[in-house]
Amino acid sequence: NSTETMPTVMQIDLPDVLPDVPDSEDPCVRRLLASVGEREGVLRAHLIPAASGEPAILCVHFDPEEIDRSHLREVILTTGTRLCEQFGHATWTTPPLANPRKAETASEKLRGVRGVIAAEVDPDRRVRVEYDRERIQKAELRGVLALMGVHLDD
């Protein structure tokens, strides 16, 4: 006679866990979901997409007999802090780039820089970079962009 406990759900606004992450498509969100999802007692971790001005929500289904709510919350927040300490996120605006090819070339060159994990230079004035803080700093990224001729608005 097994008495199965019903899974319990915890929801936390994504910006409370990963304040530096620009949106839910960021690789840090996948890292967070994978790390939390592997914890004992966690049955499922997924994201509820942002809607009508509200932020995306991290939703975790767990077995309260294996992990209690306060410990799970602590695990989630600690994991988020660790990810934000390791992975930096920089977003800048630029004057419009006349040549879309220049944006693509800059994106490719940035992705080749040691410590850069993801980079996107849009011709429509936006530069986004995810980087490993142990290998490169935000100021160095600005310098790399300047050397490429990509000027940033302050």
Side-chain angles (χ1 to χ4, degrees), residues 16-87:
D16 292 345
V17 184
L18 296 172
D20 297 348
V21 170
D23 61 50
S24 59
E25 300 300 311
D26 190 271
C28 275
V29 175
R30 287 193 303 278
R31 292 183 193 106
L32 175 71
L33 292 172
S35 181
V36 171
E38 291 169 354
R39 297 302 294 224
E40 189 152 335
V42 173
L43 307 171
R44 179 172 179 233
H46 64 101
L47 211 57
I48 298 171
S52 60
E54 294 298 314
I57 296 170
L58 173 66
C59 184
V60 181
H61 303 248
F62 66 100
D63 181 341
E65 289 189 0
E66 289 188 46
I67 186 169
D68 71 46
R69 182 176 286 276
S70 61
H71 179 64
L72 177 59
R73 183 175 176 80
E74 184 182 315
V75 163
I76 292 167
L77 294 175
T78 302
T79 302
T81 299
R82 188 173 41 79
L83 286 168
C84 286
E85 284 170 358
Q86 182 177 358
F87 300 102

Side-chain angles (χ1 to χ4, degrees), residues 10 14 17 53 62 109 132 152:
M10 176 183 292
L14 188 61
V17 184
F62 66 100
K109 284 184 180 173
D132 184 335
L152 304 176

